């Protein structure tokens, strides 16, 4: 887990680890981003970008070459954030969820460790 703190409080965090999806779980070079969060008052301030750079830096240090995450289909702001960071919806993964308001889509990012922004940690490991 990484946290981005603003001195007196946590502004965001990312939680990640081994891939849990059956089709990716046997690949040691793939990690899953379990959770990614920034306080709403920090949206648009660079906190999320800094936290994502730090997450990718940790992954690159560990030899991770690809990552994936699940995001609510209706979360357009989150999906736009991931797309701007190079993540792409995975066409091989069927959407999952318990209903139309809970439908999740899988995004993937490849080439980790080969990108310029993957090597500048700014958040703190916890």
């Amino acid at each position: 887990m990484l946290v981005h703190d603003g001195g007196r409080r946590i502004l965001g965090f990312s939680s990640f680890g081994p891939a849990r999806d059956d089709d990716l779980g046997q690949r040691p070079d793939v990690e899953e981003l379990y959770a990614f969060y920034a306080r709403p008052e920090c949206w648009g301030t660079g906190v999320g970008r800094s936290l994502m750079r730090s997450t990718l830096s940790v992954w690159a240090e560990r030899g991770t070459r690809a990552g994936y995450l699940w995001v609510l289909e209706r979360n357009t702001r989150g999906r736009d954030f991931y797309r701007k960071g190079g993540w792409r919806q995975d066409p091989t993964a069927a959407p999952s969820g318990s209903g139309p308001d809970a439908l999740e889509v899988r995004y993937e990012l490849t080439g980790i460790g080969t990108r310029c922004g993957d090597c500048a940690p700014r958040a703190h490991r916890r």
Side-chain angles (χ1 to χ4, degrees):
M1 173 179 277
L2 295 177
V3 297
H4 190 295
D5 72 73
R8 297 189 345 241
R9 64 186 181 142
I10 293 173
L11 303 178
F13 70 90
S14 68
S15 175
F16 49 85
R20 298 178 293 180
D21 286 15
D22 290 339
D23 61 331
L24 299 172
Q26 301 302 314
R27 292 188 48 198
D29 64 334
V30 176
E31 294 216 38
E32 180 178 354
L33 184 59
Y34 304 140
F36 190 85
Y37 177 81
R39 289 180 179 268
E41 64 268 22
C42 297
W43 293 350
T45 67
V47 166
R49 286 186 306 278
S50 174
L51 187 56
M52 184 60 75
R53 276 193 309 270
S54 296
T55 299
L56 297 177
S57 178
V58 169
W59 285 4
E61 290 171 11
R62 293 176 7 173
T64 300
R65 295 294 168 247
Y68 75 95
L69 59 88
W70 288 91
V71 61
L72 287 172
E73 186 175 52
R74 65 186 168 126
N75 182 356
T76 55
R77 185 180 188 99
R79 293 175 68 188
D80 287 345
F81 172 82
Y82 297 127
R83 274 194 293 270
K84 288 177 186 173
W87 295 79
R88 298 291 174 250
Q89 188 169 343
D90 183 350
T92 66
S96 74
S98 57
D101 287 340
L103 194 61
E104 292 182 301
V105 291
R106 188 165 83 179
Y107 274 63
E108 62 184 348
L109 182 68
T110 58
I112 295 169
T114 63
R115 303 151 49 96
C116 179
D118 297 349
C119 49
R122 287 191 171 53
H124 305 285
R125 293 183 199 196
R126 292 250 170 138

